[in-house]
Amino acid sequence: MGIVNVTPDSFSDGGAHASTETALKHCEQLLKEGADILDIGGESTRPGSPAVPLDAELARVLPVVREAVKLNVPLSIDTYKPEVMRAVLDLGADIVNDIWALRQPGAREAVAAHPTCGICLMHMHRDPQTMQTLPMQGDVIPEVLAFWDAQLAPLTALGIDPARIALDPGVGFGKSVAQNFALLGRQRELLATGYPLLLGWSRKSSIGAVTGIDNASGRTVPSVAAAVLAVDRGAVVVRVHDVRDTVAALAVWRAMRAEAPLEHLQRATT
Protein backbone atom coordinates (compact mmCIF):
# COMPACT_ATOMS: atom_id res chain seq x y z
CA MET A 1 0.00 0.00 0.00
CA GLY A 2 1.67 3.19 -1.24
CA ILE A 3 1.07 6.36 0.79
CA VAL A 4 -0.23 9.48 -0.97
CA ASN A 5 -0.42 12.40 1.45
CA VAL A 6 -2.48 15.24 -0.03
CA THR A 7 -1.58 17.45 2.91
CA PRO A 8 0.65 20.49 3.48
CA ASP A 9 1.97 19.22 6.81
CA SER A 10 2.75 15.52 6.61
CA PHE A 11 5.46 14.42 9.06
CA SER A 12 7.14 12.31 6.38
CA ASP A 13 7.19 14.33 3.17
CA GLY A 14 6.51 17.91 4.25
CA GLY A 15 3.61 18.43 1.85
CA ALA A 16 5.51 17.42 -1.28
CA HIS A 17 2.31 16.00 -2.82
CA ALA A 18 -0.20 18.56 -1.55
CA SER A 19 -1.56 19.62 -4.95
CA THR A 20 -3.77 17.47 -7.15
CA GLU A 21 -1.17 17.44 -9.91
CA THR A 22 1.74 16.38 -7.71
CA ALA A 23 -0.41 13.84 -5.87
CA LEU A 24 -1.43 12.17 -9.13
CA LYS A 25 2.17 12.09 -10.34
CA HIS A 26 3.09 10.46 -7.06
CA CYS A 27 0.30 7.88 -7.53
CA GLU A 28 1.69 6.98 -10.94
CA GLN A 29 5.23 6.76 -9.58
CA LEU A 30 4.20 4.46 -6.72
CA LEU A 31 2.46 2.15 -9.17
CA LYS A 32 5.57 2.01 -11.35
CA GLU A 33 7.53 1.06 -8.25
CA GLY A 34 5.19 -1.86 -7.54
CA ALA A 35 2.41 -0.62 -5.25
CA ASP A 36 -0.70 -2.82 -5.23
CA ILE A 37 -2.94 -0.31 -3.44
CA LEU A 38 -2.87 3.49 -3.17
CA ASP A 39 -3.80 5.07 0.17
CA ILE A 40 -4.87 8.70 -0.26
CA GLY A 41 -5.25 10.99 2.75
CA GLY A 42 -6.17 14.64 3.15
CA GLU A 43 -5.51 15.11 6.87
CA SER A 44 -2.26 14.65 8.73
CA THR A 45 -2.62 12.45 11.81
CA ARG A 46 0.87 12.95 13.21
CA PRO A 47 0.90 13.44 17.00
CA GLY A 48 -0.37 16.90 17.91
CA SER A 49 -1.74 17.67 14.47
CA PRO A 50 -4.92 19.80 14.39
CA ALA A 51 -8.12 18.42 12.91
CA VAL A 52 -8.85 19.53 9.34
CA PRO A 53 -12.28 21.03 8.56
CA LEU A 54 -14.56 18.89 6.40
CA ASP A 55 -14.60 21.31 3.46
CA ALA A 56 -10.82 21.49 3.40
CA GLU A 57 -10.42 17.71 3.40
CA LEU A 58 -12.98 17.29 0.63
CA ALA A 59 -11.25 19.97 -1.44
CA ARG A 60 -7.92 18.17 -1.09
CA VAL A 61 -9.08 14.59 -1.63
CA LEU A 62 -11.94 14.59 -4.13
CA PRO A 63 -10.02 15.99 -7.14
CA VAL A 64 -7.31 13.37 -6.62
CA VAL A 65 -9.80 10.52 -6.27
CA ARG A 66 -11.70 11.58 -9.40
CA GLU A 67 -8.53 11.12 -11.44
CA ALA A 68 -6.94 8.27 -9.49
CA VAL A 69 -9.92 5.95 -10.10
CA LYS A 70 -8.86 6.00 -13.77
CA LEU A 71 -5.64 4.20 -12.81
CA ASN A 72 -7.67 1.01 -12.27
CA VAL A 73 -6.02 0.00 -9.01
CA PRO A 74 -7.57 -0.39 -5.56
CA LEU A 75 -7.92 3.01 -3.91
CA SER A 76 -7.93 3.33 -0.13
CA ILE A 77 -8.96 6.62 1.45
CA ASP A 78 -7.47 7.50 4.82
CA THR A 79 -10.33 9.35 6.54
CA TYR A 80 -12.53 9.21 9.63
CA LYS A 81 -15.24 11.61 8.44
CA PRO A 82 -18.41 9.87 7.20
CA GLU A 83 -19.09 12.68 4.73
CA VAL A 84 -15.71 12.06 3.09
CA MET A 85 -16.30 8.31 3.12
CA ARG A 86 -19.60 8.68 1.27
CA ALA A 87 -18.15 11.11 -1.26
CA VAL A 88 -15.10 9.02 -2.16
CA LEU A 89 -17.01 5.75 -2.28
CA ASP A 90 -19.53 7.35 -4.62
CA LEU A 91 -16.60 8.33 -6.87
CA GLY A 92 -15.35 4.74 -7.00
CA ALA A 93 -12.87 4.42 -4.13
CA ASP A 94 -12.53 0.86 -2.84
CA ILE A 95 -11.41 0.97 0.79
CA VAL A 96 -12.02 3.14 3.85
CA ASN A 97 -8.93 3.24 6.08
CA ASP A 98 -10.09 4.81 9.35
CA ILE A 99 -7.81 5.70 12.26
CA TRP A 100 -10.95 6.04 14.41
CA ALA A 101 -12.15 2.52 13.48
CA LEU A 102 -15.56 3.89 12.39
CA ARG A 103 -16.29 5.37 15.82
CA GLN A 104 -17.33 8.77 14.48
CA PRO A 105 -21.15 9.16 14.26
CA GLY A 106 -22.43 7.95 10.91
CA ALA A 107 -19.21 6.24 9.83
CA ARG A 108 -20.48 2.66 10.21
CA GLU A 109 -23.63 3.51 8.28
CA ALA A 110 -21.54 5.11 5.52
CA VAL A 111 -19.59 1.93 4.83
CA ALA A 112 -22.64 -0.28 5.32
CA ALA A 113 -24.33 1.63 2.50
CA HIS A 114 -21.55 0.52 0.13
CA PRO A 115 -21.71 -3.27 0.43
CA THR A 116 -18.50 -4.03 -1.45
CA CYS A 117 -16.03 -1.53 -0.01
CA GLY A 118 -13.13 -2.72 2.11
CA ILE A 119 -12.72 -1.46 5.68
CA CYS A 120 -9.63 -1.08 7.83
CA LEU A 121 -10.17 -0.59 11.56
CA MET A 122 -7.17 0.91 13.36
CA HIS A 123 -6.49 0.96 17.07
CA MET A 124 -5.80 4.46 18.39
CA HIS A 125 -5.44 5.49 22.03
CA ARG A 126 -7.16 8.85 22.62
CA ASP A 127 -6.91 11.17 19.55
CA PRO A 128 -4.12 12.67 17.37
CA GLN A 129 -4.04 15.84 19.47
CA THR A 130 -3.41 14.05 22.81
CA MET A 131 -2.33 10.48 22.01
CA GLN A 132 1.37 11.00 22.68
CA THR A 133 0.99 13.41 25.59
CA LEU A 134 -0.88 10.72 27.52
CA PRO A 135 0.07 7.40 25.88
CA MET A 136 -1.57 4.17 26.93
CA GLN A 137 -0.24 2.08 29.80
CA GLY A 138 0.30 -1.62 30.31
CA ASP A 139 0.34 -4.60 27.98
CA VAL A 140 -0.53 -3.39 24.48
CA ILE A 141 -1.61 -6.73 22.95
CA PRO A 142 -4.73 -7.47 25.06
CA GLU A 143 -5.68 -3.81 24.89
CA VAL A 144 -5.64 -3.84 21.07
CA LEU A 145 -7.47 -7.17 20.88
CA ALA A 146 -10.22 -5.98 23.25
CA PHE A 147 -10.59 -2.76 21.28
CA TRP A 148 -11.02 -4.64 18.01
CA ASP A 149 -13.63 -6.93 19.56
CA ALA A 150 -15.61 -3.89 20.68
CA GLN A 151 -15.51 -2.26 17.25
CA LEU A 152 -16.26 -5.41 15.27
CA ALA A 153 -19.50 -6.18 17.14
CA PRO A 154 -21.48 -3.20 15.76
CA LEU A 155 -20.36 -4.02 12.22
CA THR A 156 -21.63 -7.56 12.61
CA ALA A 157 -24.95 -6.14 13.82
CA LEU A 158 -25.15 -4.06 10.63
CA GLY A 159 -24.66 -7.18 8.54
CA ILE A 160 -21.24 -6.18 7.21
CA ASP A 161 -19.42 -9.18 5.74
CA PRO A 162 -16.30 -9.97 7.82
CA ALA A 163 -14.45 -10.63 4.55
CA ARG A 164 -14.51 -6.86 3.95
CA ILE A 165 -12.54 -6.06 7.10
CA ALA A 166 -8.83 -5.73 7.89
CA LEU A 167 -7.30 -4.65 11.19
CA ASP A 168 -4.42 -2.27 11.98
CA PRO A 169 -2.90 -2.20 15.49
CA GLY A 170 -1.97 1.46 15.07
CA VAL A 171 1.80 1.70 15.41
CA GLY A 172 2.57 5.11 16.90
CA PHE A 173 -1.00 6.03 17.73
CA GLY A 174 -0.91 6.63 21.47
CA LYS A 175 1.74 4.01 22.28
CA SER A 176 5.22 4.10 23.73
CA VAL A 177 8.26 2.99 21.74
CA ALA A 178 8.36 -0.24 23.74
CA GLN A 179 4.66 -0.89 23.09
CA ASN A 180 5.10 -0.29 19.37
CA PHE A 181 7.90 -2.84 19.17
CA ALA A 182 5.87 -5.25 21.28
CA LEU A 183 3.27 -5.08 18.51
CA LEU A 184 5.95 -6.23 16.07
CA GLY A 185 7.63 -8.77 18.32
CA ARG A 186 4.31 -10.34 19.34
CA GLN A 187 2.43 -9.62 16.13
CA ARG A 188 1.47 -13.27 15.62
CA GLU A 189 -0.73 -13.00 18.71
CA LEU A 190 -2.83 -10.47 16.81
CA LEU A 191 -3.59 -13.12 14.18
CA ALA A 192 -5.92 -14.75 16.71
CA THR A 193 -8.72 -12.49 15.47
CA GLY A 194 -8.77 -14.30 12.13
CA TYR A 195 -8.85 -10.99 10.27
CA PRO A 196 -6.11 -9.82 7.88
CA LEU A 197 -3.58 -7.43 9.38
CA LEU A 198 -2.44 -4.12 7.89
CA LEU A 199 0.75 -2.66 9.37
CA GLY A 200 2.09 0.87 9.02
CA TRP A 201 5.67 1.18 10.26
CA SER A 202 6.98 3.45 7.54
CA ARG A 203 9.20 6.29 8.84
CA LYS A 204 7.51 6.25 12.27
CA SER A 205 9.11 8.07 15.20
CA SER A 206 9.69 4.79 17.06
CA ILE A 207 12.04 3.79 14.25
CA GLY A 208 13.82 7.08 14.76
CA ALA A 209 14.01 6.43 18.48
CA VAL A 210 15.85 3.11 18.12
CA THR A 211 18.06 4.13 15.18
CA GLY A 212 18.87 7.71 16.09
CA ILE A 213 17.70 8.91 12.67
CA ASP A 214 15.91 12.19 13.34
CA ASN A 215 14.90 12.96 9.76
CA ALA A 216 11.77 10.97 8.83
CA SER A 217 12.73 10.77 5.15
CA GLY A 218 16.06 9.19 6.16
CA ARG A 219 14.41 6.16 7.77
CA THR A 220 13.98 4.13 4.58
CA VAL A 221 16.23 1.20 5.47
CA PRO A 222 14.84 0.54 8.96
CA SER A 223 11.30 1.11 7.67
CA VAL A 224 11.83 -1.56 5.02
CA ALA A 225 13.23 -3.89 7.67
CA ALA A 226 10.13 -3.37 9.80
CA ALA A 227 7.84 -3.99 6.81
CA VAL A 228 9.55 -7.28 5.97
CA LEU A 229 9.40 -8.38 9.61
CA ALA A 230 5.70 -7.48 9.71
CA VAL A 231 4.99 -9.56 6.61
CA ASP A 232 7.06 -12.43 7.99
CA ARG A 233 4.87 -12.30 11.10
CA GLY A 234 1.64 -12.48 9.12
CA ALA A 235 0.75 -9.02 7.84
CA VAL A 236 -1.20 -9.10 4.58
CA VAL A 237 -0.74 -5.40 3.76
CA VAL A 238 2.08 -3.02 4.64
CA ARG A 239 1.49 0.71 4.27
CA VAL A 240 4.72 2.35 3.11
CA HIS A 241 6.27 5.49 1.67
CA ASP A 242 9.22 3.73 0.03
CA VAL A 243 7.46 1.32 -2.30
CA ARG A 244 10.34 0.37 -4.59
CA ASP A 245 12.69 -0.55 -1.75
CA THR A 246 9.97 -2.44 0.13
CA VAL A 247 8.94 -4.41 -2.96
CA ALA A 248 12.59 -5.36 -3.59
CA ALA A 249 13.10 -6.47 0.01
CA LEU A 250 9.92 -8.56 -0.07
CA ALA A 251 11.13 -10.23 -3.29
CA VAL A 252 14.20 -11.42 -1.35
CA TRP A 253 11.95 -12.60 1.49
CA ARG A 254 9.76 -14.55 -0.95
CA ALA A 255 12.78 -16.12 -2.64
CA MET A 256 14.07 -17.23 0.75
CA ARG A 257 10.71 -18.88 1.37
CA ALA A 258 10.79 -20.45 -2.12
CA GLU A 259 7.60 -18.52 -3.00
CA ALA A 260 9.10 -16.66 -5.96
CA PRO A 261 8.14 -17.95 -9.42
CA LEU A 262 10.76 -20.48 -10.54
CA GLU A 263 11.50 -18.65 -13.79
CA HIS A 264 12.51 -15.55 -11.81
CA LEU A 265 15.01 -17.58 -9.83
CA GLN A 266 16.34 -19.20 -13.00
CA ARG A 267 16.82 -15.83 -14.70
CA ALA A 268 18.71 -14.60 -11.66
CA THR A 269 21.31 -17.36 -12.10
CA THR A 270 21.91 -16.85 -15.84
Side-chain angles (χ1 to χ4, degrees):
M1 176 182 275
I3 298 170
V4 184
N5 290 318
V6 194
T7 58
D9 55 349
S10 167
F11 86 94
S12 60
D13 53 33
H17 316 300
S19 73
T20 299
E21 181 181 4
T22 56
L24 288 170
K25 287 181 179 178
H26 190 53
C27 288
E28 292 170 353
Q29 181 61 35
L30 293 178
L31 294 177
K32 288 178 183 177
E33 293 177 359
D36 301 296
I37 306 167
L38 297 175
D39 189 53
I40 299 169
E43 177 173 335
S44 175
T45 53
R46 72 189 190 284
S49 59
V52 171
L54 172 61
D55 289 349
E57 185 176 347
L58 288 169
R60 293 173 183 178
V61 170
L62 294 190
V64 179
V65 174
R66 286 192 187 99
E67 296 303 315
V69 293
K70 301 174 186 177
L71 297 172
N72 295 316
V73 297
L75 290 187
S76 167
I77 310 302
D78 183 356
T79 187
Y80 58 85
K81 297 182 179 72
E83 298 90 347
V84 178
M85 295 176 192
R86 288 192 291 268
V88 297
L89 291 171
D90 287 345
L91 286 176
D94 304 283
I95 302 164
V96 168
N97 182 15
D98 184 1
I99 65 168
W100 279 90
L102 302 179
R103 287 179 289 153
Q104 295 294 323
R108 293 169 184 146
E109 290 75 14
V111 296
H114 285 264
T116 61
C117 76
I119 301 162
C120 183
L121 305 177
M122 195 192 79
H123 174 274
M124 176 173 61
H125 176 69
R126 301 180 68 89
D127 56 55
Q129 290 74 45
T130 64
M131 61 188 180
Q132 291 307 127
T133 58
L134 292 168
M136 63 183 291
Q137 302 293 315
D139 189 344
V140 67
I141 300 296
E143 177 74 19
V144 169
L145 290 172
F147 173 86
W148 281 339
D149 282 344
Q151 307 319 314
L152 287 164
L155 301 187
T156 301
L158 285 171
I160 292 175
D161 187 347
R164 297 169 54 188
I165 300 170
L167 303 176
D168 180 348
V171 173
F173 283 79
K175 303 169 183 73
S176 68
V177 173
Q179 287 171 332
N180 287 324
F181 282 99
L183 290 173
L184 182 58
R186 297 169 59 193
Q187 184 182 295
R188 289 190 179 92
E189 295 178 43
L190 301 177
L191 300 175
T193 66
Y195 288 86
L197 294 183
L198 184 155
L199 269 293
W201 274 97
S202 188
R203 303 183 182 180
K204 292 291 178 71
S205 61
S206 287
I207 289 177
V210 299
T211 62
I213 302 173
D214 293 331
N215 183 6
S217 62
R219 298 171 187 160
T220 297
V221 172
S223 293
V224 170
V228 173
L229 289 168
V231 172
D232 190 60
R233 286 158 171 75
V236 174
V237 180
V238 283
R239 183 178 182 272
V240 305
H241 298 87
D242 304 293
V243 168
R244 178 175 53 194
D245 295 314
T246 307
V247 168
L250 288 172
V252 174
W253 175 81
R254 289 191 184 95
M256 179 270 295
R257 290 172 56 89
E259 292 180 1
L262 181 60
E263 62 269 21
H264 290 180
L265 297 178
Q266 290 172 335
R267 282 202 300 270
T269 61
T270 60

